[in-house]
Amino acid sequence: MERTQFADMQDSPSWSALLEHADQLASSHIYSLFEQDQARFEKFHVSSSPILFDYSKQLLTEQTVELLFKLAEEKKLPERIAALFSGAHVNTSEDRPAMHWALRSPATDHTFYNGDDISQPVAAELDKIAGFAEIIRSGQWRGFSGYAITDVVNIGVGGSDLGPMMSCMALEDCIDVEPTPLRIHFVSSMDGTQLSPLLDKLNPHTTLFILSSKSFTTIDTLSNAATALNWLNQACSEKEKVLSSHFIGISAQQDKMSAWGIPESNQLYFWDWVGGRYSMWSSIGFPIALKLGIRAFRQLLAGAHCMDKQFQNTPWKQNLPVLLGLIGVWNSNFQKINTHAILPYDGRLKYLPTYLSQLEMESNGKSVTRAGQSVAFKTCPILWGEVGPNAQHAFYQLLHQGTERVSCDFIAPAMRYHEHTNPSLTQQHELALANCFAQSRLLALGERVLPDSSSLPSYKRYPGNQPSSTIILDELTPFSLGALIALYEHKVFVQSVIWDINPFDQWGVELGKKLASDTLELLQGHRSLEGYDPSTSGLVAHIVNAWKQNS
Ligand code: F6P
């Protein structure tokens, strides 16, 4: 489709009203909003176990929220939520539904896809995950020489890596069944940097590889898989034996797993209607079940299901995904803030910012509407982040005194270490929470937190007015993590509805992959440099020369 037409919001009365309202608020400071209204926290927070969501430190008023709700009505958010949960083909460019939510629905809910009840196959696959996890955890799965498995390496990338990796780290101390002596490793990078040193440490007799790839064509994963297979074959030349005792495949493409050599009995499956970055609820989440036990994995699904229900059934004033999504729209489109930081005050959530950067930017990093028009407004902001306490010693300087407006999500658990015998750990948790609240306060209010800031030299001034939300989990558990991740998934959906873009495809990553395979042929001398841009030709020539000189 030609991209000559522009989608703007000129015919949206709510958009115009919000623009006007933003103009009126332009000279306001979050500090003065708090001064004018001592009940701000009461008005602008929602407590819905396991999450408390405080958005009182956003630069907004009750009128802002009303106008955002009107915009959502105008963009038919209720109808679009209903479409998402009906299995309609909401992924228009790929003509399929986005039914990740069905993976966490109880089997008794009877979900249908193309007229078929998918609840039973979904439940059966979950049982299969449970069975595999049990066999490996209990030491019954044996390597080619009869030894039990001690190390599991998940090979996958993007959605086939980040969800299980982030969850395994987040829930490390939430194992509610017999702990497993298994060590679980994650390998994603195509350059071998992660795999090579790991293989040096691992024992081929006791190592199991999980090949996770929805498409089972991703070169990053297949190149790591080939290196793993070679490594095993150096210890055991019987390829069949190695494949049947050291590889499990997880994919939506059974024939491709079989063609690679993974026996059917070692395959876990999921469906085309699950997007890669929405797939940690499927068999892609197998490493989570392996690490924590199946009960915890089911709890993760239950937490996400709880958020699905809240998204569908809760009035907007209490609806966490709707609020989080609309506040993001307010900041991006009306406050003109183009960058958003995720700041967990809990080291276990180290990979959450990375996970969310794929979820949000691969979903809503689009500039074309569902009808193929170029958008004349901003869509997804740049999303980034780091564990808050560490980031305080890295990039918070810019947040406090830089020239960039940044919105932030502060995330922390209320309870931690309460069963621990070491009292100084409890104090460390208190310290982390104190820093979390102090930083968001200072970002919002600026130097006005001081009794008298009038004599400060300019380099000691804090302008404040950086908006943020704070998300408090009751405790970091499989249930609350499931709810948190589903909250962000639905936030992304809400924003995609307002911007009228398809959050479930990712065409922007396709061409680069194709160009890379052409470029590999250049480097290997199977293709001429003719027709390439001077930079690519120069770089390729430089590398090929370097290789020649060192050979
Ligand atoms: O590069 C984009 C992408 O397609 C992601 O959407 C996906 O999560 C990742 O690659 C991995 O894909 P696969 O699971 O098919 O290997």
Side-chain angles (χ1 to χ4, degrees), residues 156-161 212-221 250-251 270 275-279 284 358 362 505-506 509-510 513:
V157 70
S160 300
D161 168 64
S212 288
S213 173
K214 181 182 173 186
S215 61
F216 227 78
T217 57
T218 305
I219 192 67
D220 317 48
T221 300
I250 304 175
S251 181
F270 67 108
R277 55 192 170 275
Y278 298 86
S279 65
I284 290 289
Q358 185 197 15
E362 197 167 73
D505 62 11
Q506 58 284 319
V509 300
E510 292 307 321
K513 290 185 200 171

Side-chain angles (χ1 to χ4, degrees), residues 69-85:
F69 287 162
K70 279 197 183 134
L71 177 66
E73 284 287 353
E74 196 184 287
K75 296 289 168 189
K76 302 201 179 327
L77 181 60
E79 289 88 334
R80 296 287 301 283
I81 295 174
L84 173 72
F85 286 98

Side-chain angles (χ1 to χ4, degrees), residues 76-390:
K76 302 201 179 327
L77 181 60
E79 289 88 334
R80 296 287 301 283
I81 295 174
L84 173 72
F85 286 98
S86 73
H89 287 208
V90 289
N91 180 351
T92 42
S93 72
E94 294 175 315
D95 192 20
R96 59 183 182 224
M99 295 179 70
H100 42 282
W101 50 269
L103 299 164
R104 50 222 193 191
S105 298
T108 45
D109 271 12
H110 296 293
T111 308
F112 288 86
Y113 171 64
N114 278 351
D116 297 328
D117 186 346
I118 53 168
S119 320
Q120 288 318 313
V122 165
E125 208 56 31
L126 193 51
D127 287 343
K128 206 166 156 190
I129 293 172
F132 273 39
E134 180 51 31
I135 291 169
I136 300 166
R137 291 180 114 246
S138 62
Q140 293 171 61
W141 186 295
R142 300 286 160 150
F144 61 81
S145 52
Y147 289 106
I149 298 301
T150 58
D151 292 85
V152 178
V153 184
N154 187 80
I155 298 182
V157 70
S160 300
D161 168 64
L162 293 171
M165 182 172 70
M166 177 272 294
S167 304
C168 280
M169 172 141 191
L171 301 173
E172 208 151 42
D173 54 5
C174 299
I175 301 173
D176 65 351
V177 287
E178 216 25 43
T180 166
L182 283 177
R183 287 176 292 265
I184 302 185
H185 315 271
F186 289 89
V187 163
S188 55
S189 163
M190 65 166 71
D191 65 351
T193 304
Q194 295 161 319
L195 189 55
S196 171
L198 187 59
L199 294 182
D200 287 345
K201 281 186 238 139
L202 296 180
N203 179 350
H205 297 262
T206 58
T207 301
L208 175 72
F209 292 91
I210 303 172
L211 304 188
S212 288
S213 173
K214 181 182 173 186
S215 61
F216 227 78
T217 57
T218 305
I219 192 67
D220 317 48
T221 300
L222 295 182
S223 61
N224 277 319
T227 302
L229 181 58
N230 277 337
W231 177 73
L232 282 163
N233 278 153
Q234 282 163 8
C236 172
S237 55
E238 290 173 72
K239 196 172 168 195
E240 297 293 305
K241 208 171 183 178
V242 162
L243 285 166
S244 63
S245 46
H246 290 271
F247 284 95
I248 287 177
I250 304 175
S251 181
Q253 301 293 333
Q254 282 167 312
D255 52 337
K256 293 207 169 76
M257 285 193 273
S258 301
W260 196 85
I262 295 180
E264 220 179 298
S265 54
N266 289 15
Q267 296 179 5
L268 288 168
Y269 181 67
F270 67 108
W271 299 267
D272 215 28
W273 41 260
V274 182
R277 55 192 170 275
Y278 298 86
S279 65
M280 62 176 257
W281 323 102
S282 72
S283 48
I284 290 289
F286 175 57
I288 309 171
L290 205 50
K291 178 148 189 145
L292 307 178
I294 193 67
R295 211 166 63 185
F297 187 60
R298 287 184 195 275
Q299 280 295 302
L300 185 84
L301 300 181
H305 178 68
C306 164
M307 189 55 68
D308 293 339
K309 288 288 158 208
Q310 125 126 225
F311 186 39
Q312 290 174 85
N313 302 327
T314 312
W316 288 0
K317 275 195 168 150
Q318 275 83 44
N319 192 313
L320 298 180
V322 170
L323 288 168
L324 192 62
L326 292 178
I327 289 166
V329 168
W330 168 247
N331 283 332
S332 290
N333 299 111
F334 302 99
Q335 292 292 311
K336 312 289 180 212
I337 298 175
N338 302 320
T339 172
H340 183 71
I342 302 290
L343 304 167
Y345 273 70
D346 187 318
R348 295 171 295 178
L349 292 173
K350 177 165 179 53
Y351 293 118
L352 183 68
T354 318
Y355 175 82
L356 293 181
S357 71
Q358 185 197 15
L359 177 65
E360 298 219 8
M361 294 200 281
E362 197 167 73
S363 297
N364 281 342
K366 315 272 167 72
S367 53
V368 174
T369 64
R370 290 185 302 150
Q373 295 177 315
S374 291
V375 298
F377 45 84
K378 293 273 183 193
T379 59
C380 187
I382 294 165
L383 192 117
W384 52 297
E386 180 50 270
V387 173
N390 294 349

